[in-house]
Amino acid sequence: MSERRQSASENEKSMLSACEQREAVRDRYSSIAETEDSGCCEPTSEDDTDSCSSGGCCDDTTLATKSERLGYTEDDIDAVASGADLGLGCGNPTALANLAQGQQVLDLGSGGGFDCFLAARKVGPTGFVIGVDMTPEMIERARKNIDKNETENVEFRLGEIEHLPVADGSIDVIISNCVINLSPNKSQVFSEAFRVLRPGGQFAISDVVMTAEVPQEFRADPESVSGCVAGAATISDLEAMLERAGFEGITIEPKEDSHQFIREWSSEHRLEDYIVSATIEGQKPNTE
């Protein structure tokens, strides 16, 4: 199957064109980036204010609790200045990745930079972390957070994860937190990840996977696509895409305890019936 046909197949599953998917994602996260506080309760449109007026907003305490449920420790949360953790993930990729001093790390869809700053602490002053995000407002917010966190070994670049602004074979570890499901061309994302990794490099991300067929009404809904629901792929599809990209040692482990926080993503639908958070790992063969 050609790359064009693979992309078309993925778009058919979502029932939105690639341009429509990217526009929906960019609109949602640019709005979140421009808020002063966390993005966990921001309305997705001017008319959607009920979630924030009904007690759904995250203050510092509830945001910390949410982050702990995703797998972050109190030390993780306390180590990063406010404004970077937007409460938007589905796991903790920095705990999954075995980061070490001196490594070069790439975060796909870096948002406000929370995972980047955690990774920067682990790789130390001899290491470096690059965050890539396609939303200019998120990049602006993340760059401001560099000063707030007094971090010198982090850089944020504007770009799409399907076309990474990163040199070939320059990265030791790739992390990502609930972002690749948002891409209309996941096969291209995995190919790009493989390209920028060094031989033996690690791919270690948190994302959602589809466990049951998502209703058509979700697939045609921009809000569901940008909300990490309609774009999820099955484990078998993800394994096939990673294998085609060249990865080996692929493991995808669903996290059954994620049903609780996924249930909170919608008051109208039982999203936990269709998706679950998972850890997704692979390695670029060490040819040296």
Side-chain angles (χ1 to χ4, degrees), residues 71-155:
Y72 295 100
T73 67
E74 289 186 21
D75 288 343
D76 290 334
I77 297 165
D78 292 341
V80 180
S82 63
D85 182 6
L86 301 178
L88 298 172
C90 60
N92 178 3
T94 61
L96 176 64
N98 188 22
L99 299 179
Q101 294 281 315
Q103 287 183 320
Q104 307 294 302
V105 179
L106 172 64
D107 184 8
L108 306 182
S110 48
F114 185 55
D115 288 324
C116 288
F117 295 121
L118 291 177
R121 298 176 69 228
K122 294 187 177 183
V123 301
T126 59
F128 200 79
V129 181
I130 299 170
V132 172
D133 201 286
M134 74 168 183
T135 309
E137 293 83 358
M138 275 295 184
I139 292 295
E140 181 180 359
R141 179 170 184 149
R143 287 173 176 168
K144 290 179 180 178
N145 286 332
I146 291 177
D147 292 334
K148 291 175 65 175
N149 285 277
E150 300 180 347
T151 304
E152 297 182 353
N153 60 338
V154 174
E155 176 184 337

XYZ file of all heavy atoms in Angstrom, residues 71-155:
613
model
N 0.287 9.538 35.921
C 1.550 8.863 36.204
C 2.681 9.775 36.635
O 3.814 9.315 36.826
N 2.414 11.062 36.800
C 3.447 11.979 37.272
C 3.520 11.956 38.800
O 2.499 11.797 39.476
C 3.158 13.401 36.790
C 3.217 13.560 35.289
C 2.047 13.569 34.534
C 4.425 13.692 34.628
C 2.086 13.705 33.147
C 4.471 13.833 33.243
C 3.297 13.830 32.510
O 3.339 13.957 31.152
N 4.701 12.127 39.328
C 4.887 12.166 40.775
C 4.752 13.602 41.278
O 4.772 14.560 40.494
C 6.269 11.633 41.166
O 7.278 12.537 40.670
C 6.502 10.232 40.583
N 4.650 13.747 42.584
C 4.611 15.094 43.169
C 5.887 15.850 42.840
O 5.860 17.059 42.601
C 4.425 14.995 44.688
C 3.041 14.539 45.119
C 2.877 14.603 46.624
O 3.649 15.350 47.275
O 1.992 13.923 47.159
N 7.015 15.141 42.847
C 8.287 15.788 42.508
C 8.275 16.302 41.083
O 8.789 17.394 40.801
C 9.451 14.796 42.701
C 9.754 14.518 44.163
O 9.310 15.318 45.017
O 10.429 13.512 44.449
N 7.701 15.521 40.160
C 7.597 15.966 38.769
C 6.807 17.266 38.688
O 7.217 18.225 38.012
C 6.883 14.911 37.913
C 7.692 13.653 37.694
O 8.933 13.730 37.752
O 7.076 12.595 37.465
N 5.664 17.278 39.350
C 4.763 18.429 39.284
C 5.401 19.666 39.910
O 5.320 20.780 39.374
C 3.427 18.091 39.976
C 2.736 16.941 39.218
C 2.518 19.310 40.041
C 1.612 16.287 39.973
N 6.075 19.469 41.040
C 6.699 20.594 41.748
C 7.940 21.116 41.021
O 8.335 22.270 41.219
C 7.088 20.174 43.164
C 5.881 19.898 44.045
O 4.779 20.365 43.702
O 6.042 19.208 45.067
N 8.543 20.277 40.184
C 9.809 20.645 39.548
C 9.632 21.633 38.402
O 10.596 22.284 37.989
C 10.520 19.393 39.039
N 8.419 21.746 37.875
C 8.188 22.597 36.697
C 7.278 23.760 37.073
O 6.239 23.564 37.719
C 7.553 21.778 35.553
C 7.302 22.660 34.334
C 8.456 20.597 35.178
N 7.662 24.961 36.675
C 6.879 26.157 36.993
C 5.499 26.074 36.345
O 5.314 25.439 35.303
C 7.617 27.406 36.508
N 4.521 26.714 36.964
C 3.152 26.684 36.455
C 3.086 27.275 35.056
O 3.856 28.163 34.694
C 2.218 27.461 37.392
O 2.597 28.826 37.439
N 2.143 26.770 34.275
C 1.962 27.252 32.922
C 2.451 26.291 31.866
O 2.111 26.434 30.687
N 3.238 25.282 32.270
C 3.740 24.293 31.309
C 2.858 23.049 31.289
O 2.651 22.437 30.237
C 5.175 23.911 31.640
N 2.347 22.664 32.455
C 1.473 21.493 32.546
C 0.044 21.946 32.255
O -0.582 22.633 33.061
C 1.568 20.881 33.944
C 0.716 19.622 34.095
O 0.141 19.167 33.087
O 0.627 19.099 35.231
N -0.486 21.527 31.105
C -1.822 21.935 30.692
C -2.865 20.850 30.928
O -4.016 21.013 30.553
C -1.814 22.342 29.217
C -0.857 23.485 28.867
C -0.893 23.770 27.371
C -1.199 24.736 29.660
N -2.471 19.730 31.522
C -3.427 18.675 31.833
C -4.026 18.022 30.610
O -5.180 17.611 30.630
N -3.245 17.896 29.521
C -3.800 17.431 28.255
C -3.358 16.029 27.851
O -3.780 15.539 26.810
C -3.405 18.414 27.137
C -3.920 19.841 27.293
C -3.290 20.753 26.238
C -5.439 19.873 27.179
N -2.510 15.383 28.616
C -1.958 14.105 28.203
C -2.794 12.909 28.610
O -3.908 13.028 29.126
N -2.213 11.728 28.341
C -2.871 10.480 28.745
C -1.867 9.523 29.373
O -2.093 8.322 29.437
C -3.567 9.821 27.554
S -2.458 9.382 26.195
N -0.736 10.058 29.833
C 0.288 9.236 30.460
C 1.491 10.089 30.811
O 1.422 11.323 30.783
N 2.592 9.427 31.119
C 3.833 10.115 31.460
C 4.975 9.491 30.663
O 5.611 8.541 31.119
C 4.122 10.022 32.957
C 5.439 10.685 33.350
O 6.120 11.277 32.513
N 5.815 10.576 34.610
N 5.247 9.997 29.469
C 6.289 9.394 28.637
C 7.696 9.539 29.203
O 8.576 8.742 28.878
C 6.150 10.134 27.301
C 5.516 11.438 27.663
C 4.586 11.127 28.803
N 7.925 10.539 30.058
C 9.262 10.688 30.631
C 9.571 9.587 31.630
O 10.736 9.284 31.891
C 9.420 12.063 31.316
O 8.474 12.189 32.385
C 9.204 13.193 30.316
N 8.535 8.972 32.200
C 8.750 7.825 33.084
C 8.958 6.560 32.273
O 9.689 5.648 32.672
C 7.554 7.655 34.020
N 8.325 6.505 31.104
C 8.449 5.346 30.226
C 9.829 5.289 29.582
O 10.455 4.224 29.521
C 7.365 5.414 29.145
C 7.361 4.344 28.062
C 7.084 2.976 28.681
C 6.313 4.673 27.006
N 10.303 6.422 29.099
C 11.609 6.483 28.443
C 12.719 6.398 29.488
O 12.649 7.035 30.536
C 11.730 7.787 27.656
N 13.714 5.614 29.205
C 14.845 5.449 30.120
C 15.883 6.522 29.812
O 16.943 6.245 29.235
C 15.435 4.046 29.969
C 16.484 3.751 31.020
O 16.505 4.371 32.080
N 17.368 2.814 30.719
N 15.579 7.747 30.197
C 16.435 8.880 29.860
C 17.703 8.890 30.704
O 17.681 8.546 31.884
C 15.671 10.186 30.041
C 14.424 10.362 29.171
C 13.742 11.695 29.477
C 14.765 10.263 27.699
N 18.793 9.321 30.061
C 20.085 9.339 30.740
C 20.822 10.639 30.437
O 20.505 11.354 29.460
C 20.928 8.144 30.293
N 21.797 10.958 31.258
C 22.596 12.167 31.085
C 23.202 12.211 29.681
O 23.685 11.214 29.155
C 23.720 12.206 32.119
C 23.250 12.348 33.563
C 22.886 13.776 33.915
O 23.607 14.711 33.595
N 21.756 13.950 34.586
N 23.136 13.388 29.078
C 23.789 13.617 27.797
C 22.983 13.257 26.570
O 23.434 13.492 25.445
N 21.777 12.710 26.743
C 20.989 12.304 25.585
C 20.310 13.492 24.907
O 20.032 14.514 25.533
C 19.928 11.277 25.996
C 20.481 9.906 26.310
C 19.387 8.904 26.630
O 18.401 9.226 27.306
N 19.554 7.671 26.162
N 20.040 13.308 23.615
C 19.277 14.273 22.818
C 17.844 13.726 22.709
O 17.634 12.618 22.208
C 19.880 14.423 21.428
C 21.364 14.742 21.423
C 21.673 16.110 22.008
O 21.175 17.132 21.517
N 22.486 16.143 23.054
N 16.864 14.502 23.182
C 15.476 14.048 23.270
C 14.591 14.918 22.395
O 14.782 16.137 22.311
C 14.978 14.092 24.734
C 13.518 13.641 24.828
C 15.860 13.216 25.625
N 13.614 14.284 21.745
C 12.639 15.006 20.922
C 11.244 14.700 21.430
O 10.874 13.537 21.605
C 12.759 14.571 19.464
C 11.695 15.087 18.485
C 11.763 16.606 18.364
C 11.859 14.430 17.120
N 10.447 15.756 21.672
C 9.060 15.611 22.120
C 8.138 16.012 20.974
O 8.152 17.155 20.517
C 8.813 16.499 23.345
C 7.416 16.338 23.929
O 6.686 15.427 23.477
O 7.058 17.113 24.834
N 7.319 15.056 20.505
C 6.386 15.313 19.410
C 5.095 15.907 19.961
O 4.408 15.282 20.757
C 6.071 14.009 18.671
C 7.249 13.204 18.143
C 6.752 11.973 17.389
C 8.148 14.049 17.260
N 4.762 17.131 19.533
C 3.572 17.802 20.053
C 3.802 18.260 21.473
O 3.108 17.831 22.399
N 4.757 19.141 21.662
C 5.276 19.470 22.994
C 4.389 20.393 23.812
O 4.619 20.550 25.023
C 6.674 20.086 22.864
O 6.692 21.106 21.883
N 3.389 21.028 23.213
C 2.458 21.852 23.984
C 3.159 22.931 24.784
O 4.027 23.649 24.291
N 2.787 23.045 26.063
C 3.385 24.045 26.935
C 4.781 23.703 27.415
O 5.436 24.528 28.058
N 5.238 22.489 27.119
C 6.618 22.130 27.426
C 6.840 21.312 28.673
O 7.986 21.047 29.053
N 5.758 20.855 29.332
C 5.894 20.151 30.613
C 6.834 18.951 30.510
O 7.794 18.821 31.282
C 4.517 19.713 31.100
C 4.512 19.079 32.464
C 5.049 19.728 33.562
C 3.933 17.829 32.664
C 5.035 19.147 34.827
C 3.906 17.243 33.916
C 4.459 17.898 34.999
N 6.597 18.061 29.548
C 7.441 16.881 29.418
C 8.858 17.240 29.002
O 9.818 16.557 29.385
C 6.827 15.894 28.413
C 5.588 15.205 28.957
O 5.548 14.917 30.169
O 4.643 14.969 28.173
N 8.998 18.304 28.224
C 10.336 18.736 27.820
C 11.166 19.166 29.032
O 12.353 18.821 29.134
C 10.248 19.889 26.831
S 9.658 19.422 25.188
N 10.546 19.904 29.936
C 11.290 20.373 31.107
C 11.636 19.222 32.053
O 12.705 19.216 32.663
C 10.495 21.465 31.825
C 10.311 22.707 31.005
C 9.046 23.184 30.691
C 11.406 23.398 30.513
C 8.873 24.307 29.910
C 11.256 24.532 29.726
C 9.974 24.989 29.428
N 10.743 18.240 32.149
C 11.064 17.056 32.949
C 12.206 16.274 32.315
O 13.125 15.810 33.003
C 9.832 16.162 33.087
C 8.677 16.699 33.943
C 7.502 15.723 33.926
C 9.137 16.936 35.387
N 12.162 16.135 30.997
C 13.224 15.417 30.294
C 14.556 16.153 30.430
O 15.611 15.522 30.573
C 12.858 15.255 28.820
N 14.518 17.486 30.400
C 15.743 18.277 30.496
C 16.459 18.033 31.819
O 17.696 18.017 31.878
C 15.410 19.762 30.342
N 15.695 17.824 32.875
C 16.304 17.532 34.179
C 17.024 16.194 34.152
O 18.066 16.016 34.782
C 15.238 17.526 35.274
C 14.523 18.853 35.468
C 13.412 18.745 36.499
N 13.927 18.533 37.845
C 13.500 17.614 38.689
N 12.556 16.764 38.311
N 14.012 17.510 39.897
N 16.467 15.240 33.412
C 17.045 13.893 33.387
C 18.282 13.794 32.497
O 19.202 13.023 32.780
C 15.987 12.885 32.937
C 14.834 12.742 33.927
C 13.895 11.619 33.536
C 12.793 11.455 34.577
N 11.891 10.311 34.265
N 18.300 14.551 31.392
C 19.463 14.469 30.502
C 20.578 15.413 30.930
O 21.713 15.279 30.451
C 19.064 14.753 29.041
C 18.019 13.750 28.579
C 18.558 16.181 28.851
N 20.271 16.358 31.821
C 21.295 17.214 32.392
C 21.873 18.230 31.421
O 21.462 18.315 30.255
N 22.833 19.012 31.878
C 23.395 20.099 31.061
C 24.131 19.614 29.814
O 24.312 20.383 28.864
C 24.348 20.812 32.027
C 24.666 19.792 33.073
C 23.430 18.959 33.221
N 24.566 18.362 29.786
C 25.237 17.842 28.600
C 24.243 17.277 27.582
O 24.627 16.918 26.471
C 26.244 16.745 28.975
O 25.551 15.673 29.646
C 27.317 17.294 29.896
N 22.977 17.173 27.966
C 21.931 16.707 27.062
C 21.128 17.875 26.524
O 21.360 19.031 26.886
N 20.173 17.554 25.637
C 19.369 18.609 25.044
C 18.003 18.064 24.674
O 17.867 16.895 24.305
C 20.048 19.181 23.790
C 19.556 20.539 23.390
C 19.998 21.665 24.051
C 18.641 20.685 22.360
C 19.542 22.931 23.693
C 18.176 21.936 21.998
C 18.628 23.064 22.666
N 16.977 18.917 24.789
C 15.607 18.516 24.493
C 15.014 19.471 23.463
O 15.104 20.692 23.620
C 14.732 18.511 25.766
C 13.303 18.072 25.427
C 15.336 17.604 26.824
N 14.403 18.910 22.418
C 13.725 19.697 21.385
C 12.234 19.377 21.438
O 11.838 18.207 21.412
C 14.254 19.368 19.979
C 15.737 19.695 19.877
C 13.460 20.124 18.906
C 16.380 19.177 18.599
N 11.415 20.390 21.529
C 9.977 20.219 21.461
C 9.461 20.750 20.133
O 9.840 21.852 19.714
N 8.625 19.961 19.449
C 8.046 20.385 18.170
C 6.533 20.450 18.310
O 5.905 19.504 18.802
C 8.429 19.410 17.029
C 7.664 19.763 15.746
C 9.923 19.448 16.772
N 5.949 21.556 17.881
C 4.501 21.727 17.932
C 4.076 22.545 16.722
O 4.799 23.450 16.291
C 4.078 22.425 19.228
C 2.621 22.174 19.576
O 1.742 22.770 18.909
O 2.359 21.394 20.507
N 2.900 22.228 16.162
C 2.451 22.925 14.953
C 1.647 24.186 15.251
O 1.247 24.897 14.335
C 1.608 21.993 14.085
C 0.225 21.712 14.609
S -0.772 20.887 13.331
C -2.350 20.768 14.171
N 1.399 24.476 16.529
C 0.569 25.619 16.904
C 1.449 26.786 17.340
O 2.125 26.696 18.371
C -0.384 25.238 18.044
O -1.076 24.034 17.705
C -1.379 26.338 18.315
N 1.470 27.877 16.590
C 2.337 29.001 16.955
C 2.107 29.508 18.380
O 3.061 29.874 19.076
C 1.970 30.074 15.920
C 1.478 29.302 14.738
C 0.762 28.117 15.314
N 0.839 29.518 18.800
C 0.540 30.005 20.143
C 1.141 29.103 21.225
O 1.560 29.577 22.282
C -0.978 30.114 20.331
C -1.641 31.181 19.469
C -1.953 30.716 18.056
O -1.618 29.547 17.712
O -2.536 31.502 17.297
N 1.173 27.798 20.956
C 1.796 26.876 21.905
C 3.307 27.079 21.949
O 3.919 27.052 23.028
C 1.481 25.422 21.542
C 0.180 24.890 22.059
S 0.121 24.786 23.874
C -1.496 23.997 24.061
N 3.909 27.275 20.796
C 5.350 27.517 20.754
C 5.699 28.786 21.524
O 6.672 28.827 22.295
C 5.839 27.617 19.294
C 5.734 26.253 18.604
C 7.271 28.141 19.240
C 6.650 25.185 19.178
N 4.896 29.829 21.342
C 5.136 31.080 22.068
C 5.030 30.869 23.568
O 5.875 31.349 24.338
C 4.130 32.141 21.614
C 4.319 33.484 22.291
C 3.307 34.521 21.826
O 2.472 34.203 20.958
O 3.349 35.654 22.356
N 4.014 30.131 23.985
C 3.841 29.862 25.415
C 5.000 29.037 25.964
O 5.537 29.325 27.041
C 2.518 29.137 25.652
C 2.257 28.802 27.118
C 0.849 28.316 27.340
N 0.605 28.100 28.769
C -0.567 28.251 29.353
N -1.623 28.628 28.645
N -0.718 28.045 30.652
N 5.394 28.008 25.237
C 6.475 27.140 25.691
C 7.790 27.912 25.800
O 8.564 27.703 26.745
C 6.617 25.958 24.743
N 8.047 28.789 24.845
C 9.289 29.565 24.893
C 9.319 30.510 26.085
O 10.377 30.730 26.687
C 9.459 30.332 23.582
C 9.849 29.433 22.408
C 9.857 30.163 21.080
N 10.327 29.289 19.997
C 10.224 29.571 18.712
N 9.672 30.731 18.322
N 10.679 28.732 17.799
N 8.172 31.048 26.456
C 8.115 31.867 27.666
C 8.394 31.026 28.903
O 8.983 31.498 29.875
C 6.740 32.533 27.783
C 6.481 33.627 26.755
C 5.089 34.220 26.907
C 4.836 35.298 25.883
N 3.445 35.862 25.999
N 7.963 29.772 28.851
C 8.185 28.882 29.995
C 9.657 28.512 30.177
O 10.054 28.082 31.265
C 7.345 27.610 29.843
C 5.876 27.851 30.100
O 5.503 28.749 30.854
N 5.019 27.061 29.464
N 10.464 28.664 29.127
C 11.906 28.420 29.273
C 12.479 29.359 30.319
O 13.242 28.942 31.212
C 12.638 28.599 27.926
C 12.243 27.478 26.960
C 14.152 28.606 28.134
C 12.868 27.620 25.577
N 12.131 30.631 30.234
C 12.626 31.613 31.207
C 12.062 31.334 32.591
O 12.790 31.437 33.592
C 12.251 33.031 30.765
C 12.987 33.458 29.505
O 14.081 32.931 29.260
O 12.454 34.316 28.769
N 10.778 30.978 32.666
C 10.164 30.709 33.964
C 10.829 29.522 34.646
O 10.910 29.477 35.883
C 8.667 30.428 33.792
C 7.857 31.635 33.372
C 6.417 31.275 33.089
C 5.688 30.799 34.320
N 4.241 30.551 34.060
N 11.311 28.570 33.869
C 11.938 27.387 34.443
C 13.467 27.479 34.479
O 14.126 26.529 34.917
C 11.520 26.151 33.646
C 10.096 25.730 33.942
O 9.825 25.036 34.907
N 9.164 26.167 33.101
N 13.994 28.606 34.008
C 15.439 28.840 34.013
C 16.183 27.647 33.422
O 17.134 27.119 33.993
C 15.922 29.129 35.449
C 15.268 30.346 36.067
C 15.747 30.631 37.471
O 16.406 29.741 38.063
O 15.476 31.728 37.980
N 15.714 27.247 32.254
C 16.262 26.071 31.583
C 17.032 26.493 30.339
O 16.532 27.272 29.525
C 15.129 25.101 31.183
O 14.373 24.758 32.344
C 15.688 23.844 30.558
N 18.236 25.960 30.166
C 19.069 26.326 29.031
C 19.198 25.208 27.998
O 19.700 25.446 26.899
C 20.460 26.735 29.513
C 20.462 27.974 30.407
C 21.858 28.387 30.831
O 22.808 27.619 30.531
O 21.998 29.460 31.442
N 18.759 24.002 28.340
C 18.956 22.872 27.419
C 17.644 22.401 26.794
O 17.446 21.218 26.538
C 19.659 21.709 28.129
C 18.872 21.170 29.314
O 18.025 21.872 29.875
N 19.135 19.931 29.689
N 16.734 23.364 26.538
C 15.462 23.069 25.876
C 15.234 24.084 24.766
O 15.510 25.281 24.936
C 14.277 23.118 26.870
C 12.956 22.942 26.132
C 14.415 22.043 27.937
N 14.725 23.608 23.640
C 14.403 24.478 22.510
C 13.070 24.037 21.921
O 12.794 22.835 21.837
C 15.495 24.376 21.439
C 15.215 25.166 20.173
C 16.279 24.936 19.116
O 17.410 24.549 19.486
O 15.973 25.117 17.928
